[in-house]
């Protein structure tokens, strides 16, 4: 059961269908090569075995008069003998390796077969074609393996893909995205406008002796528009945009990643002035480790990138833009002067930004008159540009499926819920017991938060399952906050504990439905202690609990203390939630009963329970 409605910070994976097709093809070729190599070896061995005759057997066969004909090839100790008997001639052929041709010739002289005829002796010159084809046949498995290796190398990109160049749809060399296609982010655009100027008139800057920036790092969570901005810079400047993702440099074979980096920059030099865009740079740019095992390959790739960034000529106007949502992971060497020395944070849009993005993406869509983008912007705090674009797209799909003529406000609200909590599952059969548990759980969240001054008003409470949640309580978002206070975090934990506390108090039972609430609350407690330095006993310290080095610095005592204090914070939150509910049992019962009857309660209906 979800307690809040923040969109999940999911990294939006780009489709990698092409990659999977490549891998499947590679596997098929590999299997074909292995199977055919084994088959060739097996059958040629088997055939040879069937056709071979030992020298002693040959002598006995000659003495018994069973040999009709002998064929010899000049210079070869392998002779062919044709035996008397039934069947086709080739069934009677046998190969024999003779120790000495000379001795054999003497032995066979004047020998007759069982019909009294002299054994026919045939001397053949070497057939060069047969010789070559024999050699080729025996080399076939090796040839197949070499072909396979070449294919693997090609597919892995040795000399292959070195960044895709994106031009405009009209065939122009630069993308047709402009700053006007980016809503909000005015300050960031302002900071980047000079890059456009550098790219447009590099000579003017060079004549003045100004150094053109080489690398700009864009920090921000997925979907905030980093790629869009990079493309818009290229579009505004009218220069080519060469794009590659950090993960594309990660290869199976050592040295290939570095070779791709080299090729990417070679390509850019030919296209200068231009922009190189490296998305997810953390995939190759994370802190270098000791040169061991698989990490060596990554280190080589990163080193090559550093070398390339240092190696530009002043005349080459290439600007490298890179994007990451994990800046803390990056190797410090990447951020030194001359490399990515400019860093720009691309934040999730604020209220005005969200409204602007919604309006921009509303073009080409039909909306009913009741749709108010300002209100939607208010309800979608924390959403990124990509998520907002997705909301409107989902709303259009919902409207079409519901046979609406235009997209209504309700369609948009449903799209927001679909994105935050998941799809409504009205058909799911739920037992009365589970329904009651969910009703008390959600009522618990809603009632507890009503008594917490820092928590926002309840917007909707529902026991209709959505996504993985059995029910949900949605809160209004009325302002974009820059900072969050300690009290607010503590009260948020209390609201989260409201669900579990209500289950226990009203039904004397606890369920797995509270798992997400517990996870979020524990995360808040951990962050309060180790990131925000909000604990009185520990003081304002920062402690990266995932970093073994930091754990070593602080020692076990501090780590134990963190564990204990997390426990204290959670226990306090649970106790407070319980107290609030015990003092307001009548309201808790009423809210839960109404939920069981109506399944959903609006904000106004919820407020009614508190009017005396
Ligand atoms: P990732 O880190 O996943 O690559 P990103 O930060 O590069 O994400 P983009 O790919 O640039 O995000 O954004 C995805 C889409 O979201 C854009 O194509 C655009 O439709 C929309 N979008 C994001 N931000 C904005 C914005 N400020 N204005 C208009 N559209 C936006």
């Amino acid at each position: 059961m979800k307690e809040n409605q923040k969109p999940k910070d999911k990294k939006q994976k780009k489709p990698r269908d092409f990659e999977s097709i490549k891998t499947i093809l590679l596997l098929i070729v590999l299997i074909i090569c292995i199977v055919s190599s084994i088959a060739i070896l097996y059958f040629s061995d088997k055939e040879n075995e069937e056709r071979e005759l030992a020298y002693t057997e040959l002598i006995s066969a000659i003495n018994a008069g069973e040999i009709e004909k002998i064929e010899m090839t000049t210079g070869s100790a392998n002779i062919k003998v044709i035996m008397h008997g039934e069947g086709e001639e080739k069934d009677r052929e046998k190969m024999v390796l003779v120790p000495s041709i000379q001795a054999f010739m003497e032995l066979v002289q004047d020998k007759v077969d069982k019909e009294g005829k002299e054994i026919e002796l045939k001397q053949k010159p070497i057939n060069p074609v047969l010789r070559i084809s024999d050699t080729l046949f025996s080399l076939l498995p090796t040839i197949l393996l070499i072909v396979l290796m070449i294919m693997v190398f090609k597919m892995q990109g040795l000399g292959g893909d070195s960044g895709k160049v994106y031009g405009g749809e009209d065939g122009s060399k630069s993308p047709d995205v402009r700053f006007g296609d980016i809503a909000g982010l005015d300050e960031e655009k302002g900071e980047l406008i000079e890059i456009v100027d550098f790219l447009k008139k590099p000579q003017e800057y060079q004549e003045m002796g100004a150094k053109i920036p080489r690398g700009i790092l864009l920090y921000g969570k997925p979907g905030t528009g980093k790629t869009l901005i990079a493309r818009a810079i290229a579009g505004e400047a009218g220069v080519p945009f060469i794009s590659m993702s950090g993960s594309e440099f990660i290869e199976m074979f050592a040295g290939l990643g570095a070779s791709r980096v080299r090729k990417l920059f070679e390509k850019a030099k030919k296209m200068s002035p231009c922009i190189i865009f490296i998305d997810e740079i953390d995939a190759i740019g994370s802190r270098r480790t000791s040169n061991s095992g698989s990490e060596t390959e990554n280190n080589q790739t990163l080193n090559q990138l550093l070398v390339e960034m240092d190696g530009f000529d002043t005349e080459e106007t290439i600007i490298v833009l890179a994007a990451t949502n994990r800046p803390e992971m990056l190797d410090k060497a990447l951020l030194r002067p001359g490399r990515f020395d400019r860093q720009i944070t691309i934040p999730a849009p604020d209220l005005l930004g969200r409204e602007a993005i919604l309006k921009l993406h509303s073009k080409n869509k039909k909306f009913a008159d009741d749709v108010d983008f300002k209100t939607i912007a208010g309800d979608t705090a924390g959403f990124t540009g990509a998520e907002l674009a997705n909301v409107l797209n989902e709303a259009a799909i919902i409207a079409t499926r519901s046979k609406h003529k235009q997209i209504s406000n309700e369609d948009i609200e449903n799209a927001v819920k679909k994105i935050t909590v998941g799809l409504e599952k009205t058909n799911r059969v739920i037992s009365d017991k589970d329904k009651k548990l969910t009703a008390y759980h959600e009522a618990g969240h809603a009632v507890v938060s009503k008594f917490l001054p820092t928590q926002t008003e309840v917007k909707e409470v529902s026991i209709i399952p959505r996504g993985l949640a059995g029910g949900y309580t949605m809160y209004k978002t009325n302002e974009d906050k820059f900072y969050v206070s300690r009290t607010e975090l503590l009260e948020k934990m209390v609201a989260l504990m409201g669900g579990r506390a209500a289950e226990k108090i009203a039904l004397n039972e606890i369920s797995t439905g509270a798992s997400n609430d517990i996870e979020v609350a524990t995360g808040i407690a951990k962050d309060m202690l180790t990131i925000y330095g909000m604990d009185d006993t520990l003081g304002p310290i920062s402690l990266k609990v995932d970093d073994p080095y930091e754990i070593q610095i602080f020692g076990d005592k501090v780590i134990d203390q963190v564990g204990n204090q997390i426990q204290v914070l959670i226990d306090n939150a649970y106790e407070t939630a319980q107290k609030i509910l015990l003092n307001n049992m009548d309201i808790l019962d009423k809210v839960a009963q109404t939920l069981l009857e109506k399944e959903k309660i609006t904000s106004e209906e919820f407020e009614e329970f508190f009017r005396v």
Side-chain angles (χ1 to χ4, degrees):
M1 297 172 217
K2 299 257 161 162
E3 191 274 339
N4 71 353
Q5 53 135 174
K6 285 263 148 64
K8 285 184 208 109
D9 186 5
K10 263 194 292 186
K11 174 98 200 126
Q12 290 170 342
K13 286 255 178 255
K14 307 232 158 90
R16 289 181 68 94
D17 290 354
F18 185 60
E19 291 297 319
S20 353
I21 293 171
K22 262 174 47 175
T23 317
I24 291 168
L25 270 178
L26 193 68
L27 275 173
I28 292 174
V29 175
L30 185 74
I31 291 166
I32 291 175
C33 282
I34 292 173
V35 169
S36 49
S37 301
I38 294 172
I40 286 168
L41 287 172
Y42 176 77
F43 286 115
S44 62
D45 263 12
K46 201 165 169 79
E47 200 181 316
N48 285 345
E49 231 171 70
E50 278 169 8
R51 291 182 63 202
E52 265 166 27
L53 201 65
Y55 186 62
T56 47
E57 285 173 331
L58 173 66
I59 304 297
S60 322
I62 291 172
N63 292 333
E66 282 172 8
I67 304 296
E68 186 185 338
K69 201 164 58 184
I70 296 175
E71 280 180 19
M72 297 173 141
T73 310
T74 317
S76 167
N78 254 323
I79 63 162
K80 193 202 281 178
V81 295
I82 292 140
M83 306 183 65
H84 276 293
E86 276 149 39
E88 281 179 34
E89 182 128 310
K90 65 176 185 327
D91 294 340
R92 292 184 279 126
E93 286 176 4
K94 299 278 172 202
M95 298 304 290
V96 188
L97 185 70
V98 291
S100 153
I101 298 278
Q102 184 81 33
F104 178 66
M105 292 291 277
E106 280 167 20
L107 186 122
V108 89
Q109 210 119 64
D110 306 328
K111 284 268 169 14
V112 288
D113 64 2
K114 55 184 172 194
E115 290 166 7
K117 276 200 286 177
E118 225 173 79
I119 297 176
E120 190 186 333
L121 257 179
K122 211 170 164 187
Q123 189 86 27
K124 280 201 310 184
I126 307 169
N127 180 343
V129 178
L130 262 180
R131 229 343 187 352
I132 291 168
S133 70
D134 262 10
T135 320
L136 271 181
F137 191 70
S138 63
L139 284 177
L140 206 55
T142 324
I143 294 170
L144 276 174
L145 277 174
I146 293 172
V147 170
L148 172 75
M149 291 299 278
I150 294 171
M151 286 184 71
V152 168
F153 273 95
K154 275 229 173 271
M155 283 184 171
Q156 288 297 328
L158 183 75
D161 208 359
S162 55
K164 285 166 200 69
V165 182
Y166 291 93
E169 276 168 17
D170 56 355
S172 60
K173 274 192 178 160
S174 57
D176 37 23
V177 182
R178 298 287 180 272
F179 277 161
D181 298 315
I182 307 170
L185 296 174
D186 293 332
E187 282 153 38
E188 292 74 14
K189 281 191 273 186
E191 219 175 320
L192 290 162
I193 202 106
E194 67 174 34
I195 305 294
V196 175
D197 211 43
F198 285 144
L199 286 163
K200 272 187 174 162
K201 306 174 250 174
Q203 298 86 352
E204 282 185 23
Y205 288 90
Q206 277 152 12
E207 276 162 25
M208 198 59 80
K211 263 201 183 155
I212 294 172
R214 280 184 190 171
I216 299 161
L217 202 56
L218 305 173
Y219 292 155
K221 63 179 197 171
T224 42
K226 300 180 290 296
T227 313
L228 195 67
I229 287 186
R231 290 174 66 119
I233 296 173
E236 289 281 349
V239 301
F241 179 77
I242 310 172
S243 166
M244 206 152 165
S245 167
S247 53
E248 289 175 69
F249 293 103
I250 312 276
E251 292 299 348
M252 213 152 76
F253 294 104
L256 281 189
S259 131
R260 282 191 162 191
V261 172
R262 218 174 11 251
K263 290 221 154 91
L264 172 68
F265 280 81
E266 268 166 26
K267 188 185 236 173
K269 278 174 196 163
K270 284 186 202 136
M271 300 184 106
S272 157
C274 67
I275 281 187
I276 293 180
F277 178 64
I278 306 175
D279 203 0
E280 298 170 33
I281 195 168
D282 41 282
I284 46 165
S286 47
R287 262 175 262 164
R288 276 168 295 180
T289 46
S290 60
N291 263 17
S292 70
S294 64
E295 263 127 27
T296 323
E297 160 65 355
N298 271 359
N299 294 354
Q300 273 182 19
T301 313
L302 174 58
N303 285 341
Q304 189 61 40
L305 179 64
L306 298 175
V307 168
E308 294 292 344
M309 296 221 39
D310 291 343
F312 290 169
D313 281 340
T314 35
E315 303 90 64
E316 278 156 356
T317 315
I318 300 171
I319 294 186
V320 190
L321 286 160
T324 180
N325 54 332
R326 304 166 77 192
E328 72 289 345
M329 296 282 293
L330 295 182
D331 195 291
K332 295 280 171 287
L334 264 177
L335 311 176
R336 289 210 192 105
R339 294 167 184 166
F340 292 102
D341 47 8
R342 280 196 191 195
Q343 288 126 37
I344 298 177
T345 309
I346 311 294
D350 59 10
L351 187 67
L352 286 176
R354 291 198 298 276
E355 192 183 339
I357 294 173
L358 285 166
K359 281 188 177 154
L360 194 93
H361 284 275
S362 69
K363 287 176 194 160
N364 316 323
K365 290 188 181 72
K366 282 187 267 173
F367 290 93
D369 294 339
D370 67 337
V371 171
D372 174 19
F373 291 118
K374 201 174 188 149
T375 318
I376 304 166
D379 288 344
T380 47
F383 276 51
T384 62
E387 281 161 340
L388 291 168
N390 198 12
V391 164
L392 294 189
N393 192 45
E394 283 294 342
I397 293 171
I398 292 171
T400 315
R401 279 219 310 261
S402 322
K403 308 238 174 319
H404 294 165
K405 288 211 166 61
Q406 293 149 324
I407 303 168
S408 69
N409 218 12
E410 202 190 335
D411 294 331
I412 300 174
E413 277 181 11
N414 277 330
V416 172
K417 283 181 214 162
K418 185 176 167 189
I419 288 168
T420 50
V421 216
L423 205 59
E424 197 165 77
K425 300 203 168 122
T426 33
N427 293 336
R428 197 191 280 172
V429 183
I430 306 157
S431 69
D432 286 348
K433 198 170 157 235
D434 277 357
K435 254 191 189 166
K436 198 169 177 188
L437 196 94
T438 314
Y440 271 99
H441 181 102
E442 298 307 331
H445 282 310
V447 173
V448 166
S449 53
K450 177 75 186 163
F451 293 92
L452 302 167
T454 61
Q455 300 303 292
T456 48
E457 265 179 53
V458 168
K459 188 171 180 231
E460 186 178 291
V461 194
S462 162
I463 58 163
I464 303 171
R466 260 187 190 275
L468 292 175
Y472 58 88
T473 304
M474 271 190 162
Y475 297 95
K476 287 186 183 172
T477 51
N478 47 18
E479 58 175 320
D480 284 287
K481 285 202 204 82
F482 206 68
Y483 299 114
V484 183
S485 70
R486 184 173 186 263
T487 315
E488 199 174 335
L489 289 173
L490 290 173
E491 290 191 349
K492 173 97 193 148
M493 287 168 65
V494 178
L496 282 160
M497 288 296 146
R500 163 65 59 97
E503 288 177 26
K504 179 77 187 138
I505 292 170
L507 308 168
N508 194 23
E509 182 58 287
I510 53 173
S511 77
T512 52
S515 63
N516 185 263
D517 303 331
I518 294 171
E519 190 185 327
V520 178
T522 312
I524 295 176
K526 195 164 93 182
D527 290 352
M528 284 176 74
L529 294 159
T530 59
I531 300 177
Y532 310 128
M534 284 177 174
D535 185 67
D536 292 336
T537 52
L538 282 165
I541 56 151
S542 153
L543 163 67
K544 291 187 182 65
V545 275
D546 305 329
D547 187 340
Y549 181 63
E550 291 218 352
I551 300 287
Q552 218 179 335
I553 298 177
F554 282 101
D556 291 345
K557 215 176 130 210
V558 174
I559 306 302
D560 287 349
Q561 213 176 337
V562 170
N564 291 340
Q565 286 307 104
I566 290 179
Q567 197 71 59
V568 170
L569 288 177
I570 298 278
D571 287 350
N572 286 347
Y574 187 71
E575 254 173 54
T576 315
Q578 263 188 324
K579 256 186 225 154
I580 295 174
L581 291 176
L582 285 169
N583 289 336
N584 296 279
M585 276 305 283
D586 52 333
I587 301 181
L588 178 71
D589 284 334
K590 273 190 220 157
V591 176
Q593 282 310 319
T594 315
L595 273 173
L596 284 169
E597 282 156 30
K598 297 172 69 175
E599 296 196 321
K600 240 185 221 182
I601 300 178
T602 63
S603 170
E604 293 75 38
E605 287 164 341
F606 179 70
E607 290 302 319
E608 273 301 311
F609 294 112
F610 298 89
R611 276 192 200 115
V612 236

